[in-house]
Amino acid sequence: MKRILCLLSVALLAVASWAQVSYDVIPLPRSIELSPKGEVYQLPQGAVVTYASGNEAMASNAQLLAEFLKTDAGFEVVPQADAKPAKKQFIPITLSLGLENDNHEAYQLTVNKKGIVIQGVSEEGVFRGIMTLRKAIGTEGGESISLPYVTIKDEPRFSYRGVMLDCARHYFPVDFLKEYIDVAALHGCNNLHWHMTEDQGWRFEVKSMPELAKKGSIRKQTVIGRNTGVYDGQEYGGYYTQEECREIVAYAAKRFINIVPEIDLPGHMLGALHVYPELGCTGGPYEVWPHWGVSHDVLCAGNPKTLEFLKKVLGEVAEVFPSKYIHIGGDESPRDRWKQCPKCQAKMRELGLTREAELQTYINKELEAYMQKKGRDLIGWDETLEGGLSEKAIVMSWRGTSGGIQAARQHHRVIMTPTTYCYIDYYQLKDQWGQPLGIGGYLPVSKVYSFEPTDELNEEEAKYIMGAQVNLWCEYVGYPQHALYMLLPRLDAISEVQWAPKGQKDFDAFKTRLPRMLKLYDKLGYTYCRKFE
Ligand code: ACM
Ligand code: ZN
């Protein structure tokens, strides 16, 4: 009897601790095969995580796994290169390369009596697998963790899985950018689109033009509410030094996130025009805007100094950011000043252009030629389609998906980020009572989740869709907690859009998986929206 009771309690204990581990994480892995017999592997505190020596990225992966388990679950594992098991023993966690798959981010995670193995096609794939293990373990460690035997095979659907942060309307501290990167990595994103320049502030240090960030980052005050005409009377500023940018790039790289910097041109340029008014069609003076909206004052396309200025800026951007893709904005750039400007009109005659939109294409082509020499491709918002795209341009479709569809049909690469599914500056709850003031709109988690980035495209055209991204514009978002509140849990929803094979999402199942993620957010101190629709 005693023995039976004892066995029963061991079994109950196993069931109780199993409940802690669930491979039904977000984004959901493609294939999860649990052992039908239900065996568990006991991962002990202090377990070794091994990897082959001589690979810095794998060492960093092991180190990060140890950090994650410590902060999430208070659980200790110990990285050790080339660890050798004692006789008839196995190393508890092995990180390795050599998985064969066309997708370089693919990984396989197995748990059986020999322990836990995460094998990737690349170091990046191993990192994605580490994130799955981390989320499967969740928040509760204990003396050991009981992991059900499993084989997980996973790879992301899209190669570009982005999240954007507008650090121009409001400046966010470097430490918060790192946290934002952590959150993005937790969700399997691989690109942070960093919006750095605006009418309301220029936030990227350009060493050859030190005044640009020093003066262009400062607005005299900020409007209260939605362009009420009432201002707070407080000077507002802040910019990122190149050293800080490099620090952020390196931090992100360890988490396999690429930073795509955006210098928005030729519109949204009052930060720069305030410092260099000669670059505008009217000559200014211009102020760094203290309110929101779209300025009619943009860079003069007919002034040769404009291209010199932009090349200097983008040259330094390329030195600081190793990204293959550099974003040159191009949205909301009214062309009425160009219509009135003798220099712009003369330029159009010289180039034989008939529409002002083509002037924007002329600038983009010049910049593309310049940046191609540095091995970089340019991304632009969908307005860049209007005057014709430059040869290698990538389109970021935001005014719906039609621009992206048009670009894909012209065989241009596309990132889908339509307002209707991806603008997380919109409210996430229908009832706005008690919500922090926002720009308007309504974009619940369910709507983000329902996004299909290749709708209306045939299989051939769909190949040009690199991926999808959520955008957090920050006119009304001035603090880190608020930014995270807008992001979570809508980032969970987009992460399954980015990862799940076409047609394989299930919102009801997603909702059952979400509470474990929220528990992790609580543990990590992330602010998030506790209701979702
Ligand atoms: C945008 O939302 N203006 C790209
Ligand atoms: Zn002009």
Side-chain angles (χ1 to χ4, degrees):
M1 187 64 188
K2 245 187 182 169
R3 238 185 103 198
I4 290 172
L5 271 178
C6 189
L7 278 174
L8 204 67
S9 59
V10 167
L12 277 176
L13 210 71
V15 169
S17 45
W18 279 21
Q20 295 171 10
V21 171
S22 169
Y23 302 116
D24 288 346
V25 300
I26 295 174
L28 185 67
R30 281 194 179 203
S31 153
I32 304 172
E33 266 182 60
L34 288 162
S35 163
K37 289 192 197 143
E39 310 96 312
V40 292
Y41 173 71
Q42 291 292 339
L43 178 70
Q45 279 272 7
V48 165
V49 183
T50 196
Y51 55 95
S53 59
N55 184 330
E56 238 177 79
M58 289 296 269
S60 160
N61 275 341
Q63 191 55 46
L64 285 172
L65 172 59
E67 283 173 27
F68 297 143
L69 296 189
K70 184 85 186 151
T71 48
D72 299 354
F75 195 79
E76 202 99 40
V77 294
V78 183
Q80 191 184 325
D82 303 324
K84 294 279 176 288
K87 239 186 191 165
K88 293 196 178 167
Q89 298 280 311
F90 298 99
I91 299 291
I93 305 178
T94 304
L95 308 180
S96 67
L97 298 173
L99 184 70
E100 288 192 12
N101 189 307
D102 292 340
N103 188 335
H104 80 281
E105 289 184 86
Y107 69 90
Q108 183 168 308
L109 164 62
T110 55
V111 179
N112 56 36
K113 65 175 187 227
K114 297 181 184 174
I116 301 168
V117 177
I118 299 174
Q119 189 183 31
V121 172
S122 62
E123 294 83 354
E124 190 168 357
V126 172
F127 183 79
R128 306 291 169 219
I130 285 173
M131 283 306 192
T132 295
L133 177 64
R134 166 190 189 188
K135 286 177 280 192
I137 288 174
T139 52
E140 286 149 72
E143 266 318 293
S144 69
I145 298 174
S146 310
L147 291 119
Y149 287 8
V150 76
T151 301
I152 291 176
K153 293 178 182 163
D154 198 16
E155 65 187 272
R157 175 181 176 192
F158 291 108
S159 64
Y160 183 103
R161 305 180 303 280
V163 51
M164 183 275 242
L165 184 65
D166 168 11
C167 292
R169 267 55 174 267
H170 282 100
Y171 168 90
F172 290 88
V174 170
D175 279 350
F176 178 64
L177 273 145
K178 290 180 179 172
E179 187 166 60
Y180 203 78
I181 287 162
D182 285 336
V183 175
L186 180 66
H187 292 81
C189 296
N190 64 351
N191 281 280
L192 171 65
H193 169 178
W194 194 6
H195 186 79
M196 301 183 85
T197 63
E198 263 304 339
D199 293 318
Q200 293 82 10
W202 180 284
R203 314 222 179 273
F204 172 66
E205 178 192 31
V206 178
K207 285 194 191 278
S208 59
M209 296 180 278
E211 299 292 290
L212 181 52
K214 269 197 193 118
K215 290 191 180 153
S217 62
I218 295 171
R219 58 178 179 254
K220 288 206 183 90
Q221 52 185 353
T222 304
V223 72
I224 293 172
R226 295 192 188 123
N227 285 355
T228 52
V230 182
Y231 293 84
D232 65 3
Q234 308 267 321
E235 191 177 274
Y236 186 92
Y239 65 89
Y240 304 96
T241 65
Q242 293 195 0
E243 198 176 324
E244 287 171 328
C245 294
R246 287 195 166 95
E247 184 184 329
I248 287 165
V249 165
Y251 187 88
K254 282 195 169 175
R255 288 146 185 85
F256 296 91
I257 288 187
N258 173 56
I259 307 283
V260 179
E262 180 187 354
I263 303 295
D264 200 350
L265 65 98
H268 291 281
M269 265 288 168
L270 288 175
L273 285 171
H274 170 66
V275 188
Y276 302 111
E278 67 274 20
L279 299 180
C281 291
T282 65
Y286 306 100
E287 77 168 330
V288 183
W289 259 11
H291 48 251
W292 320 119
V294 174
S295 164
H296 287 259
D297 287 306
V298 304
L299 292 174
C300 175
N303 183 347
K305 281 190 180 163
T306 293
L307 273 173
E308 279 171 37
F309 166 81
L310 291 173
K311 286 179 184 173
K312 267 208 258 183
V313 171
L314 290 180
E316 294 198 29
V317 164
E319 278 173 30
V320 173
F321 296 95
S323 176
K324 173 76 181 162
Y325 314 117
I326 306 293
H327 204 307
I328 56 162
D331 60 320
E332 300 175 322
S333 188
R335 295 164 188 138
D336 42 343
R337 294 282 189 269
W338 290 358
K339 268 198 166 81
Q340 305 295 324
C341 169
K343 287 198 204 97
C344 286
Q345 291 302 311
K347 194 71 191 174
M348 282 178 68
R349 284 192 296 278
E350 179 198 322
L351 299 169
L353 308 180
T354 54
R355 295 179 300 132
E356 278 72 21
E358 294 167 337
L359 267 182
Q360 190 166 341
T361 302
Y362 151 72
I363 294 174
N364 291 351
K365 283 185 172 167
E366 290 282 322
L367 296 178
E368 181 174 273
Y370 177 71
M371 294 300 274
Q372 283 283 312
K373 284 195 203 119
K374 300 176 188 294
R376 313 308 175 93
D377 295 345
L378 299 183
I379 303 176
W381 297 110
D382 60 56
E383 285 91 334
T384 54
L385 275 155
E386 290 165 8
L389 286 175
S390 53
E391 196 187 342
K392 299 227 165 138
I394 299 167
V395 171
M396 199 169 257
S397 191
W398 73 279
R399 297 174 301 176
T401 54
S402 59
I405 289 169
Q406 189 189 336
R409 291 189 174 143
Q410 294 172 18
H411 294 183
H412 281 277
R413 287 169 293 169
V414 171
I415 297 160
M416 286 293 193
T417 174
T419 53
T420 35
Y421 296 97
C422 297
Y423 268 45
I424 57 170
D425 53 339
Y426 290 5
Y427 287 101
Q428 51 199 320
L429 301 178
K430 200 172 254 161
D431 180 3
Q432 290 171 13
W433 191 89
Q435 296 290 300
L437 180 75
I439 199 160
Y442 173 51
L443 180 63
V445 172
S446 55
K447 180 85 178 177
V448 178
Y449 195 83
S450 69
F451 184 40
E452 171 42 59
T454 64
D455 262 353
E456 296 180 46
L457 294 170
N458 66 32
E459 211 173 301
E460 196 46 43
E461 293 161 349
K463 289 182 184 154
Y464 291 92
I465 306 300
M466 294 166 66
Q469 171 175 291
V470 284
N471 292 340
L472 183 50
W473 296 104
C474 292
E475 287 96 332
Y476 298 92
V477 179
Y479 298 96
Q481 289 88 341
H482 189 181
L484 287 182
Y485 177 83
M486 300 307 274
L487 185 67
L488 300 171
R490 288 184 286 194
L491 185 62
D492 293 85
I494 200 74
S495 80
E496 294 215 346
V497 173
Q498 294 168 335
W499 276 75
K502 188 172 183 178
Q504 289 191 26
K505 286 179 289 155
D506 177 341
F507 187 63
D508 288 332
F510 168 82
K511 280 193 290 189
T512 67
R513 283 183 268 118
L514 201 45
R516 288 185 86 248
M517 287 297 276
L518 304 185
K519 213 168 160 192
L520 186 54
Y521 301 159
D522 282 332
K523 187 70 184 273
L524 297 171
Y526 298 159
T527 306
Y528 61 90
C529 184
R530 283 166 195 272
K531 254 175 86 181
F532 53 89
E533 298 170 349

